[in-house]
Amino acid sequence: MGPTNSTDSTFSRRGFMKGALIGSVGALTADPSSIAYAMLAGTTPADIQGIGIRKGLVNLSSNENPLGPSAKAVEAVAQNMFHVNRYGWSMTPVPEDLLRNAIEKHHNLPETTVTMENWQEAWKERRVMISAGSGPILEFAAITAIKDGAELVQARPAYSDIAEVWMKFKRRQNANVKLHLVPLDDAYLHDLNAMYKRINQNTTMVVITNPNNPSGTLLGHDELADFVQSVPKHVTVFIDEAYIHFVREPGYRDAVHLATEHDNVIVARTFSKIHGLAGMRVGYSVAHPDTHRRMDLYPVPEPSVLGCFAAAAALEDHDHIARCRQVAKAGKDYLGKSFDRLGIEYVPSDGSFMLFNMKREVATTFAALAEKNVEIADANWWGVKEHLRVTVGTPAENEAFIGALEQVLQESRPVAQ
Ligand SMILES: Cc1ncc(COP(=O)(O)O)c(C=O)c1O
């Protein structure tokens, strides 16, 4: 007979978990001698089994977590998967409330309680809004800032979901809106002075991605806080912290406190990166309750029941977070040294990826790498020419990428006559 209640079922949950975990942990704990052996043997894409992708593919294009999901999240999914015949609101506790409360606790925010009696009013208190990935938070925040004559200030290159919503409105609705895309400075940092100068009485939103994607650069906390302080209160400052866990500086202070101290600040977070739950689609924002109420006028998609359970478990899986951070840091060190050896300029990164400068058109390199089963990102997508962006993978994936890049460089060298 099949299990009816997963929580105390003896269905070989333990066996299932064991299988699931061996897969990911096996990849995590590759001991130094096997890594050294793989290096000596010359790792090729065909040797690599990335988690969740077909054997042989080295997919370093989308900043996914190469180590897989938090094991605690996998366990939470396994425990709850037999309950998915129910809507979230039929469950006790309601998974959305469970996750929202977990996030509130995580950030030391007042916990909100939603009951049958107060659910219409509960919005008045709520500083946390959850959604199906942070993408919808970006998009719906963008929509609330668009009105006739409105202006947006954002860096370029930067993650462009918000700017794309504005551009879509401009094109399709013939909307009278203006976008100021301010170039990063020479160190690939947000040029906050130049951005500040573009703010006027029509500006409704300023976007800061910190660390920035695709450059991986990080603003100093105090510099960002001073900027927020100086921005007029009629402007919403949207701070996207998708990669905040990968910051190298120990003790770096994130921006969540700015969202509680300033009514015009929204901070967005995702479970897709450090927590390894991109396919689960879970993200959230911290902002003033009125901001969330405005966003909630639109149908912001909520995460699924399993997404809520997985994210709530992943949030406090500090071992997994530390391991992912460590692997990303070691990977960035390795990639940096390899770029130095190959004479390629790169941007030191506080994200889970690295931007590097080929100083020539990159379409050929991009295609030649793809032919060798190594997929990375062409930074032209964010409007920066002659650059490529690579996600930091497992040691084996990083080595395969560097090996393939080296080959591509050799193959493209003019043959001496
Ligand atoms: C800077 C940044 N923000 C937001 C997102 C959206 O992530 P998700 O919708 O998976 O939460 C991404 C995805 O790559 C990103 O790089």
Side-chain angles (χ1 to χ4, degrees), residues 199-200 202-206 231-237 264-265:
I199 295 173
N200 59 42
N202 296 323
T203 311
T204 54
M205 182 168 268
V206 176
V231 169
K233 297 299 168 216
H234 70 273
V235 180
T236 298
V237 184
N264 61 332
V265 173

Side-chain angles (χ1 to χ4, degrees), residues 1-6 9-12 82:
M1 226 173 67
T4 49
N5 181 339
S6 67
S9 152
T10 49
F11 127 88
S12 64
F82 295 106

Side-chain angles (χ1 to χ4, degrees), residues 245-407:
H245 293 89
F246 298 99
V247 169
R248 289 164 298 170
E249 182 189 324
Y252 177 85
R253 192 171 186 203
D254 65 52
V256 170
H257 74 100
L258 297 174
T260 58
E261 290 160 15
H262 300 272
D263 294 353
N264 61 332
V265 173
I266 305 176
V267 172
R269 292 281 183 98
T270 179
F271 284 87
S272 301
K273 307 301 174 184
I274 196 86
H275 302 295
L277 294 173
M280 276 286 173
R281 312 303 304 126
V282 194
Y284 66 95
S285 52
V286 180
H288 191 278
D290 288 346
T291 306
H292 285 151
R293 249 191 319 181
R294 275 198 303 279
M295 284 161 68
D296 191 54
L297 289 171
Y298 305 94
V300 181
E302 287 202 323
S304 69
V305 160
L306 290 183
C308 290
F309 283 121
L315 195 59
E316 301 303 339
D317 187 350
H318 300 289
D319 288 347
H320 185 257
I321 292 170
R323 200 160 46 230
C324 296
R325 191 182 282 152
Q326 202 282 326
V327 167
K329 186 184 173 306
K332 286 186 280 191
D333 289 349
Y334 166 79
L335 290 173
K337 284 191 190 121
S338 305
F339 287 137
D340 283 341
R341 180 169 59 76
L342 297 173
I344 294 173
E345 271 178 26
Y346 62 94
V347 186
S349 171
D350 281 293
S352 60
F353 51 86
M354 277 176 108
L355 184 71
F356 57 100
N357 188 351
M358 295 296 291
K359 303 204 168 169
R360 61 177 196 208
E361 65 80 30
V362 290
T364 330
T365 311
F366 178 78
L369 284 170
E371 217 157 85
K372 294 184 191 307
N373 243 353
V374 175
E375 290 178 3
I376 61 169
D378 180 343
N380 266 313
W381 292 333
W382 300 279
V384 55
K385 291 195 168 62
E386 301 190 341
H387 289 61
L388 292 165
R389 188 200 71 184
V390 61
T391 301
V392 181
T394 60
E397 288 174 321
N398 298 334
E399 285 155 25
F401 157 65
I402 289 293
L405 181 64
E406 222 168 336
Q407 270 181 27

